[in-house]
Each structure stands twice: as C-alpha cells, then as structure tokens.
Amino acid sequence: MDNSTRLAQRIKEFQHLIGVPKYNSVIAALITEVFALPIEEISVDYQSPNPSRHRTTQEATTGKESYRIFIRATGEPGHDRMLLFDILHELGHFHDPVRLPIGQPIDSILQRDRELQAWQWADEKFNQYPELEADWALYKAHQRRCLGTYGIG
C-alpha cells in the first residue's frame, strides 16, 4: 500500500473514531503533518486499555531513533473529543528535543518537564485551529486530568 493510500485511510479512521465533523479538517491536517515527519506510525490502539502514548526506540545496529504514536480507542466512535487532544499532546512529545533515556529508569523530574513541554506545544497548536476554539475548556480539563496522573496540577 502506498503512502498516500495509508494517509487517506488513517485520516478516515481517526475522523470516524473521533466522530466530530467540525474536527475533520483539523484531523486531516494533523495526520498529514505526522506523515510528513520522521514518525514511523500513528495508530489507534484498539487492544490496550492504556491511555494514549508514544514510544521511542533505538535500532541496536544503527542507533537510528524510531518514534511511534498510539492513540487509545474508546470503543464508541464519536464520544471522545479527547482523542484529538491526545494526538496534539503526543505530537508535542515528538517536537520536544529532550528525550527520555531509552532502556534506563525514568527520571521523574525529566518526565514531568517533558509532560509540561508536550502540553505547551499542544496548547500552541490547538490555538492555530479556530474550529477548536469552542472546546478550549474541555481541552484544558483533559490536560489537567492527564497532568494530574503525574502529580502535576
């Protein structure tokens, strides 16, 4: 399957999952951006009950870094605007030049700083889309819940 077909399928999948027609152009723009970046994959995680997340790995032989984004599925398309907010946040992690060390214990201060940085990037990106403006309070409530899981708030 060629890249443009994969892109179109992924956009359609996320638009269906999120199910908010006014978000469709934003979803298309964000997924198109992901495909233009050196991100290996963005996918819906239908199997795991875990929150949305990203994973950075490093190839043992070349040292090449690989970045993947996994967005949680809710099971009921159209009832979770937070999935779009999760995409913004996980993209924020990609754009943060500081990475968590691969294969080492996670430093809680570094992780906290990365969470704050990712949400700051997401805030800036959110504000680029007038279609999202009416959902600012919902977005910020989701952000506070997520940061609370790291003891930030």
Side-chain angles (χ1 to χ4, degrees):
M1 176 180 338
D2 72 3
N3 209 36
S4 63
T5 302
R6 281 185 52 240
L7 171 61
Q9 286 179 338
R10 196 64 79 219
I11 289 170
K12 186 175 179 179
E13 179 182 26
F14 278 103
Q15 288 173 338
H16 175 73
L17 182 70
I18 294 168
V20 180
K22 73 175 184 173
Y23 283 1
N24 284 351
S25 62
V26 177
I27 294 165
L30 290 172
I31 302 303
T32 300
E33 181 178 330
V34 167
F35 270 65
L37 294 168
I39 294 177
E40 293 291 318
E41 182 66 55
I42 181 167
S43 60
V44 178
D45 188 350
Y46 292 104
Q47 303 300 316
S48 174
N50 295 327
S52 298
R53 65 200 183 288
H54 68 280
R55 182 177 14 206
T56 304
T57 56
Q58 197 166 32
E59 227 177 79
T61 54
T62 65
K64 180 184 174 200
E65 190 177 88
S66 174
Y67 190 89
R68 291 177 170 83
I69 297 173
F70 306 94
I71 302 299
R72 65 190 164 133
T74 61
E76 289 194 44
H79 294 177
D80 201 336
R81 295 168 188 241
M82 279 63 74
L83 300 178
L84 176 62
F85 308 155
D86 287 350
I87 293 169
L88 290 167
H89 173 71
E90 297 307 334
L91 269 172
H93 279 302
F94 174 80
H95 288 287
D96 186 346
V98 177
R99 297 277 191 250
L100 293 173
I102 298 171
Q104 296 178 18
I106 297 173
D107 176 285
S108 61
I109 294 172
L110 176 59
Q111 186 171 27
R112 175 188 182 329
D113 289 348
R114 280 188 38 84
E115 290 303 319
L116 292 169
Q117 278 296 114
W119 281 113
Q120 182 179 1
W121 186 92
D123 287 352
E124 292 169 13
K125 195 69 164 179
F126 184 101
N127 288 322
Q128 292 177 12
Y129 295 101
E131 305 94 305
L132 302 178
E133 187 178 331
D135 291 323
W136 178 253
L138 181 65
Y139 165 77
K140 292 307 274 185
H142 179 66
Q143 183 182 90
R144 281 190 300 278
R145 268 192 312 279
C146 291
L147 287 172
T149 65
Y150 293 95
I152 305 168

